[in-house]
Structures are given as structure tokens and as C-alpha cells.
Amino acid sequence: MSSPRNLFVGLAALVSTAAAQDVPLEFYTNESWPAGLVLGDTYGVAMGDFDGDGWVDLFTLQSGDLWRNVDGEDWELAANLLGLMPAATTRYGAAFGDYDKDGLPDIGCEPRTVMPGDSCFRLLHNLGGGPNFLEVAADPNVIDVDVCMSNSETITWGDVDGDQSLDMILPAYPPTPCGALSGLGNAFLYNLGPNGPGGNYAFTEMAAAAGLLNTSGCRPEGAQLVDLDFDGDLDFYTGGALFRNLSAAGTPFFDQVTASAGITFESIRDEGLAFVDYDLDGDFDLLITYLDPGLGVRLFQARGDGSYVLQSAAIIQDHLVGFRYGLSYGDWDNDGDVDFTTRQVFRRNLAVETGTARFVTATHTVDPLHITNATPAWGDLDRDGDLDCAIANAGEMARLYENTLYDGETAEIDKRYVRIRPVLDSPGIATGLETEFGAVARLVVINDTSRAVRRQFTSSASGYLNQNEYALHFGLPPDPAPANPLVDILFDVSVDFPSTPDVGYVRVDKHVNPVLGRIPLAQLADREITVFRSGKVILDGHEFAPAPAQPTVLTTTNGGLQTPTPSTPVAALTAGAVDQHVGVEFDTLTATDPIRLTEIIVEGQLTPPANCGDGNANMRLWDVTTPGMPELAYEFNAVTEPSNDRSYVPVNALLVPGKLYRLVAAVDQVRLTPLAPIAGPVQVTGGLEFVDASPCDGVAVDGAVLSPTDVGLAFRFHPVAGAAIVDLGGGLAGAAGIPVLSCVGEIRPGTPVTLNLTGAAANAPSGVVIGNSIDPQPLFGGILLPSFDALAVDFSTNSLGEVSLPTSWPTALTPGQSLFFQVGTFDLGAPQLVAFSNAIAATTQP
């Protein structure tokens, strides 16, 4: 186990430890259900919005009961779906997944052969119009084979090959038994899209062809699809086996890399698993509850490079208690780190409270009879800011428990959370499709000194036989100014959407859409932020288009760095020399547009920074176009975590076409990766490994010998085709329509810029609102989009209804920071006497 990170010094005093000791769950009751809501007999609970009304519903497969969430205030039994399927004695778990992209989630149902009756996979196609489902798995026009006699558990939905259609992996027992039961092995239902008869969506089973067939190994109980090596596609783990995704667009394929990735106990049966960032260092660690009484619950820590290290059993208090059956996870105490359950035991993560990421057994008031073999699912079902829990109980009755952390008396600003909902664009569904399973959302709190990385991913499988709510719930730090209701934390949001490396790494962030930067919690009326794959964002109920010149697809130099193969682990890091540096040389000679450098991927640990007069830095970008005359272009500084052998450092640099650059990092350990060419406007010419005792003058960088075969770091980038000014739309029409606001000039500190207004009323007194963020507020019958941080009112339009406002861009703004502008004018010809221009965002460039 690595040394604990003291991430949150001083924060523990701001957290109510006494209140957090108990799991804040109470058996749900209301006027309709005075004795509590019993959800039916079941082994697992699935959460999904079956009717598309924006409220999360519940399905329990064993009983077949489908429960409708009535506006977060009540529940009603919408239907019983057992009559759609042949009779069966035992049915296990289920998972919602919208395989035909109509906005109505369908339901995959897991087959069992333990008892007499139906033993086949069932797919309940959601036809809409109120609970209206049709079983289609038996239709050869929908699935080309009957998936029967499988003994399956924990369905996983996800797009494994980047075609934006949901595939399904049905984990099933292998032919060689691990325990008393066997099966036919995993099934992989590959979504062919709307290419079935009549243009309907259809699947073909291709587990063997895709490398996912488990002919040996242990029984798969838990399973998840998630990008574990940070190359953009979804890797898969189940039944003691880790499958690395090697798919190209339209061609799914996986390699098994379990042993070479450092994951042991592959021949021992588990009873649930989850990938979670338990230590808030940015990668997804692996929690597993084993059936073996000598193992109990164990944790494998991710190293950031696709490999794992088994941690001491002591990191989980009473790790031999409450194992054997079921695992679920969620931040139920809303402190920002993930907690988990196994069987009857709830365990709290102390990463935030103490700065040491470890799990302790939590007290609770849940009836012990309700959790004898618990497989809970978590979601904010009433949208009050805390995670509620539907507790399945292994073939017994499932029950709904309400989280009481917040109640009707809790002020909104005291609810420390935000929800992020990654979705796929759909022409007919304004709120998008909840099909982006595996999308990774990252939330960065501005000026947070804790170094915590808040990162989560969407998943249809949330531990074992359970499916959590689709939207991602982030617990947030305390209010830094509780006495001032107008001041709270600011945060950035980014979402990485599943893709394949041959297409590129898909990321939507504040460069793609500036409204994702410096979001003010104090001014959010709606705590759910919807981020579309296209870059569109719904924030506070308003839709914002992405910047047209900022593509969502990033290219990764070298295709990334080393990853495990079936036979070979990643090479061990070796100690570097004193003042060791690694780097890469590349050119932009064929580029026609500027290149934005967004992320540096570095091996080992970055060493303490050196100060070259402009601040501390341990990574530098040098312009070496002119031989013997290196020019420092950018400096970056970061702290890497001791638990990681590879780190992903977000940066923001704008590179000029026609240049030769060297990007270098000061590191204490080294691991080189064979050089691989990439296509596009950036060409890597070689790697660098050298000693530099004087990193400020560039002499050693310029003189370092170039390796044509190996590199020690990589980076992500994309071309930038235009200015950093985005029209956010909006506006309120005056007599001549909506006034048009534009901005010209380079958006860099100290440079001249001009705001131009046209199409307004003549000789009209006017004012420009300037905001640090977006805060949509109704005003005079229109919507004022910028936050009201500054106002300039000492100007009027001319006789043509125009005005120009020259100024200089503020020097205090850092690259990536945006300002938002909107002009209001008095228009005596308009019914409301006021008109608003469109709003614009201008983002500071490097």
C-alpha cells in the first residue's frame, strides 16, 4: 500500500463526523405507502427512466414489478412484466439499456438454470405509450441465436466499438465449472444498428469472434465496462478476467490481460465487483468481494497505466465480515468519496474526512432482515440532493429506503452536490439519450488545494445484480463563505465519451463549450448538468451550443504509452538520474491552424518544480525551430500522486503552425515506449531522455540527443480553426428584432478587443452585463444569461442603432477563463420597452 496522501488538510473540521457515522437511510413511507414501499421479490434492482419523464423508475426482475416514480413525490406499480416471458422459478438481475435509441430504455433480463422453467436471456423492448413492452430475444430477426442455459449475472451495456449503438455483454458461467454450476460462457450481443428486417435494430452473438468467450476461469458474478487504460474505449472485467478493448470502429475485439495487469485470484469466485476511484487520484481501482472466506473483500489499486497492485487487507475494516454476496457503491454521505456495501455491511470511505483513503464499517438503522443478502442500487430518486437506496435481498422482498441527509428544511445552498448527465444527441429527443455507458465525467473545483480528482463513469452494472441511476452524483466540498449566499465554489466540468483510438479521444470541456468553465454553485437553480457528445450543454435549463471552432476529438501522440498485453506487463519504472528529464520532439510544419495542447501523459513522478522567474514549473515546452536558439513557449507545473506510475496532466497551450517543439518533463523515474507515428498536423520526430541541471536556459533541451525509436511521454491535442468567441444565442427582440452582439480582437491578456452591437434601437441608452459564468435569470420578459458580476451603463447607441465598445482584455484572466457578455437597450418601440442582445462568451487564449 502506498503512503496515505494528506489531501484534505483542515477539511475534516468542516465535516460533521457525528452525522456521517451512520448511513442516513430510513424505510420509505408516505401517505400512499404508510407501511413502507415493498418493491417485490427479487435478486437485484435496476434503475432507469422507462417512460422518459425525467424521473428514475425501478424494476425488480424476479417479481417482474415495474415501479413508476411519480415526480419524485410518490410511487405506483406501473405493470408486472412476468407475463411477457415464459414461466421461470428463478430470475436474477436486469438492466435498462436503450438499444434502439428511441429514448425509451429497454430491459435485458438475466437467465438462470438453477430451477425448472425458462432459462433463456430475455430482452423486453420498450414500445412506449405507457408500460408497453414486448419480449424480442426469441425473435431471430432481433437476435440471431437463442441465448439459453447460460447462468448469467450482471448485464453490462456499452458501445464497445465506437458506432454509438449499445452492445451488451451477458456474463455467464463457463463450461468448466467454478463451483457447482456451469454454463455456455459469456454472450456478446453486438448491436448491428437499424439493419434488421424493416429497418429495425438487431443483434448478432459474437463472443468468440470478439475474444470475450470465457472457456475457463471462474463464474462471472459482477461485471463492468469502463476505460481502464485511458485510451478512450471500454475495457471489460468479469469472472476474474480483464479484457482489454482493441476494437476499431465497426470491429469489436478484446484481449485478455488479467495476469499481466497484476490482477490475481482469477480462479476464485467473486460475488460482486466495482471499479471506483476510492482514493481520488483520478483512476479506477477495483473492489471485489470474494466467496473464499480467507479473502473476503479486497482492493486492487490502479497505477494509471492499465496495471493494478493488490492492497493490504487492512485498508478495509473487517474485510472478512459481510462478504460472499453482493456489492454496491455510492457516495451516500455526500462527502465526495465513494462508499460501498457488501451483503449486510455498509462501509464508509474516509478519504475526505481524514486524508487517508480507507474503508470503515458504518452504523445504520436498516432492518437486518432487509439486508440478509443485500444487493442495493443507489440514485437520487426524489432529486433532493442525496442518494436513496432500493435494497434487493437475494430472492426475498426488495424495499425502498430514503436518504435523510437532506430534508425539506435544508436550504438549497447547504445541499453539497451536483449531477452530471452525459448523453448522446438525438434529433427527436431534446434531453438526449442515456446511452453513453462508460462516459467519464470529471469535476474540478477551482482553487481546491486538496488535489482531489473527482471522476466517475456511467454504468449499467453497479456491483452485482444492480443498476444505479444513470446520472452521476458528485458530492462537493463545504461552502467556503457560508455567511454569503452569493458566494460558493466554482467548478469546471469535462466529459470523456467512449470511442476507439483509431477515431480519437472524445472530450467535451470548457474549450468545446465555455459554459462548462467556472460554474458557480451558488447560482445554479438546477443542479443537473447535461453534456451531449456533440458538445452541446444544458445548464440551468437552458441549451448552449458548442463553440464551432473547437472539435471534440483529441489525438494522442504515439497512440499513448505502454499497456499490458496478454503475455507482457508494462515494464517496471527505473530510477532516473539527478535532474532527469524525458520528453518528445514534434513539429507543426504541416498544420494550417493553431494546435491546442490539452493533456500531457507522463510516466513516473514529476520532481519538484524549478522557478525560472515566471513561476514554478516541472514541465516545459520549448520552441526549437531555430537551431541553437531555444525559446521557452510554455511552462506547466503539476504534482503527481505516489500511487500512480502514470499521470494525466491537463494543460492549455496554443501551438503555432510551422514550428519545431520539444516538450520535456522533470521526472524521478523513467519508462520508455516504442515510438509510433500518427497522422495529422502534428508529427512526432523522436523521444528525449537527458539530464538538465539548468532547466531555465534551454541549452540542455536543445542539445539533447533525439531517439528515433523511444519516447517517455505523450500528449493529447486538437486543431483550433477559429477565434475563441462563441455566440450563446438568447436575446429579447425589440422593435427591429434581436440586437446582435459580436466581439473582435485576440482574446489574450492586455490585447485590444472591441464589443460591437448592431440592430438595436437608435440613440438608446444601453448597458452591458459582464459575467464570470453563466447564470440564466428571467428579466423584463427575457433571459439574462451572464452572471451579474459587472455592469457598464454609460453609453448609448447611435442613430443607426449601433455602438462599438473598445477595451483591453483583462490581464488577470488565465488561459481558459471566459467572460460572458450581453447588452440591454431601452427600446421604446418594443412592448416591454427593453431589448436584449444575444450573449457571447470570450475565452482567454494562451
Side-chain angles (χ1 to χ4, degrees):
M1 175 179 172
S2 61
S3 300
R5 301 177 305 137
N6 190 12
L7 293 180
F8 304 92
V9 176
L11 185 58
L14 299 175
V15 178
S16 176
T17 305
Q21 288 300 318
D22 297 326
V23 181
L25 293 178
E26 289 184 3
F27 193 24
Y28 176 87
T29 60
N30 66 2
E31 292 182 1
S32 302
W33 308 97
L37 184 55
V38 179
L39 301 171
D41 183 19
T42 193
Y43 286 86
V45 178
M47 292 187 174
D49 182 9
F50 84 87
D51 52 2
D53 67 351
W55 294 96
V56 177
D57 308 304
L58 303 173
F59 179 62
T60 56
L61 177 59
Q62 176 73 7
S63 64
D65 288 341
L66 180 65
W67 292 87
R68 176 185 284 119
N69 186 339
V70 184
D71 300 329
E73 298 177 353
D74 204 354
W75 291 87
E76 64 182 23
L77 183 60
N80 184 280
L81 304 182
L82 285 187
L84 301 176
M85 300 174 280
T89 305
T90 303
R91 298 189 189 277
Y92 260 34
F96 287 94
D98 186 3
Y99 78 85
D100 56 352
K101 297 194 289 190
D102 61 357
L104 298 169
D106 313 292
I107 306 175
C109 305
E110 296 159 10
R112 300 296 294 179
T113 63
V114 178
M115 299 290 184
D118 186 27
S119 63
C120 295
F121 166 72
R122 299 299 171 189
L123 180 59
L124 305 182
H125 184 202
N126 190 344
L127 303 177
N132 187 11
F133 288 81
L134 177 67
E135 202 291 302
V136 295
D139 183 350
N141 292 319
V142 177
I143 302 177
D144 58 356
V145 298
D146 281 336
V147 181
C148 299
M149 305 299 291
S150 301
N151 280 320
S152 176
E153 317 213 17
T154 314
I155 283 172
T156 50
W157 293 96
D159 172 19
V160 306
D161 65 336
D163 64 358
Q164 297 178 24
S165 292
L166 277 183
D167 312 303
M168 179 197 288
I169 304 178
L170 186 68
Y173 294 178
T176 302
C178 171
L181 298 175
S182 62
L184 301 180
N186 297 335
F188 172 48
L189 301 183
Y190 178 60
N191 195 329
L192 299 171
N195 297 307
N200 293 318
Y201 278 73
F203 294 88
T204 182
E205 200 293 308
M206 53 181 303
L212 288 167
L213 191 60
N214 53 332
T215 56
S216 61
C218 205
R219 291 159 47 168
E221 308 288 330
Q224 276 190 319
L225 275 165
V226 56
D227 181 11
L228 299 174
D229 50 10
F230 296 99
D231 63 353
D233 55 25
L234 301 182
D235 309 300
F236 181 60
Y237 183 90
T238 192
L242 175 60
F243 298 86
R244 182 175 178 236
N245 195 337
L246 299 178
S247 302
T251 308
F253 186 73
F254 292 77
D255 254 349
Q256 191 173 148
V257 296
T258 313
S260 56
I263 300 175
T264 54
F265 311 133
E266 61 267 29
S267 63
I268 299 175
R269 176 179 151 196
D270 70 79
E271 284 287 353
L273 61 91
F275 286 95
V276 295
D277 186 9
Y278 90 103
D279 52 358
L280 302 176
D281 67 350
D283 48 33
F284 297 116
D285 313 293
L286 176 58
L287 274 168
I288 302 182
T289 179
Y290 288 101
L291 190 64
D292 189 312
L295 286 177
V297 190
R298 300 303 298 270
L299 188 143
F300 292 88
Q301 187 173 55
R303 291 299 197 192
D305 55 9
S307 66
Y308 292 80
V309 176
L310 179 65
Q311 298 298 282
S312 165
I315 203 168
I316 300 170
Q317 183 181 7
D318 298 328
H319 74 285
L320 297 180
V321 177
F323 67 102
R324 290 178 178 269
Y325 194 89
L327 186 145
S328 75
Y329 60 92
D331 182 11
W332 64 65
D333 53 3
N334 218 39
D335 62 356
D337 53 32
V338 67
D339 313 297
F340 79 100
T341 71
T342 55
R343 206 168 188 174
Q344 306 98 333
V345 180
F346 293 79
R347 291 182 171 91
R348 285 180 54 234
N349 192 343
L350 299 183
V352 166
E353 288 87 342
T354 67
T356 301
R358 62 181 298 265
F359 296 95
V360 296
T361 302
T363 60
H364 60 82
T365 59
V366 178
D367 189 328
L369 296 178
H370 298 174
I371 54 171
T372 53
N373 287 295
T375 55
W378 297 88
D380 189 359
L381 303 178
D382 51 7
R383 297 290 292 274
D384 68 346
D386 49 31
L387 292 179
D388 309 300
C389 188
I391 304 180
N393 200 21
E396 299 180 11
M397 291 297 169
R399 292 169 174 84
L400 183 60
Y401 273 76
E402 181 179 11
N403 195 318
T404 60
L405 184 66
Y406 303 135
D407 58 26
E409 302 300 317
T410 307
E412 285 301 310
I413 201 60
D414 292 331
K415 297 179 178 180
R416 312 306 300 171
Y417 81 102
V418 73
R419 293 156 54 89
I420 300 174
R421 183 173 167 266
V423 297
L424 178 66
D425 302 76
S426 174
I429 302 170
T431 55
L433 300 174
E434 294 186 345
T435 57
E436 295 290 354
F437 291 116
V440 177
R442 178 171 179 172
L443 187 149
V444 178
V445 177
I446 307 299
N447 296 327
D448 181 8
T449 60
S450 72
R451 303 205 324 262
V453 179
R454 296 169 175 87
R455 179 177 273 153
Q456 299 181 41
F457 66 95
T458 56
S459 180
S460 68
S462 307
Y464 177 65
L465 304 181
N466 54 342
Q467 181 178 26
N468 288 352
E469 180 183 5
Y470 180 87
L472 299 171
H473 180 102
F474 286 82
L476 298 176
D479 187 344
N484 187 344
L486 300 179
V487 176
D488 206 322
I489 62 171
L490 304 172
F491 58 91
D492 295 345
V493 168
S494 66
V495 176
D496 297 344
F497 288 87
S499 185
T500 51
D502 59 316
V503 171
Y505 198 94
V506 179
R507 173 172 293 163
V508 176
D509 58 12
K510 64 184 179 182
H511 301 303
V512 172
N513 197 318
V515 302
L516 292 177
R518 298 180 66 84
I519 300 171
L521 184 67
Q523 297 169 12
L524 279 183
D526 183 352
R527 294 289 185 88
E528 182 170 280
I529 301 169
T530 300
V531 182
F532 292 74
R533 176 180 279 267
S534 67
K536 182 172 67 176
V537 173
I538 296 177
L539 179 68
D540 243 355
H542 296 268
E543 183 178 299
F544 298 96
Q550 301 285 341
T552 60
V553 177
L554 304 175
T555 299
T556 306
T557 61
N558 209 56
L561 300 176
Q562 286 190 39
T563 52
T565 70
S567 59
T568 307
V570 292
L573 294 168
T574 59
V578 176
D579 300 319
Q580 179 75 46
H581 286 67
V582 295
V584 62
E585 182 185 88
F586 64 96
D587 68 55
T588 58
L589 299 178
T590 61
T592 56
D593 298 308
I595 303 295
R596 185 180 301 280
L597 175 64
T598 64
E599 189 172 58
I600 300 174
I601 308 171
V602 61
E603 305 280 37
Q605 296 293 305
L606 290 168
T607 59
N611 192 316
C612 296
D614 294 326
N616 292 328
N618 46 22
M619 295 173 288
R620 292 178 172 83
L621 180 68
W622 293 87
D623 179 349
V624 293
T625 307
T626 303
M629 299 180 63
E631 295 184 16
L632 182 62
Y634 290 97
E635 292 183 305
F636 314 105
N637 186 42
V639 178
T640 47
E641 299 301 339
S643 57
N644 288 346
D645 288 347
R646 179 175 300 157
S647 296
Y648 297 77
V649 182
V651 296
N652 181 24
L654 211 58
L655 312 180
V656 179
K659 294 285 188 177
L660 182 67
Y661 291 101
R662 287 189 169 187
L663 175 65
V664 299
V667 295
D668 66 355
Q669 294 175 306
V670 177
R671 177 168 57 202
L672 300 180
T673 297
L675 178 65
I678 58 171
V682 170
Q683 293 297 310
V684 176
T685 51
L688 302 165
E689 183 184 3
F690 61 101
V691 171
D692 188 356
S694 302
C696 299
D697 58 22
V699 174
V701 176
D702 190 54
V705 177
L706 191 67
S707 168
T709 58
D710 299 290
V711 293
L713 60 77
F715 60 90
R716 302 194 207 273
F717 68 90
H718 65 74
V720 180
I725 300 168
V726 181
D727 186 343
L728 300 177
L732 178 64
I738 296 176
V740 177
L741 180 64
S742 61
C743 180
V744 295
E746 292 190 11
I747 312 301
R748 290 187 171 84
T751 60
V753 295
T754 302
L755 294 174
N756 294 313
L757 183 73
T758 60
N763 304 311
S766 305
V768 57
V769 175
I770 307 170
N772 291 309
S773 59
I774 286 293
D775 179 25
Q777 296 290 334
L779 188 65
F780 300 118
I783 300 294
L784 183 66
L785 292 177
S787 56
F788 208 106
D789 295 309
L791 175 66
V793 294
D794 56 344
F795 64 93
S796 297
T797 62
N798 61 19
S799 60
L800 299 177
E802 300 173 346
V803 67
S804 292
L805 303 172
T807 186
S808 294
W809 196 251
T811 57
L813 297 184
T814 57
Q817 189 170 346
S818 300
L819 289 180
F820 301 85
F821 303 89
Q822 193 169 12
V823 173
T825 64
F826 287 100
D827 188 340
L828 298 179
Q832 69 280 353
L833 303 182
V834 172
F836 287 147
S837 75
N838 58 302
I840 62 173
T843 303
T844 310
Q845 300 300 289

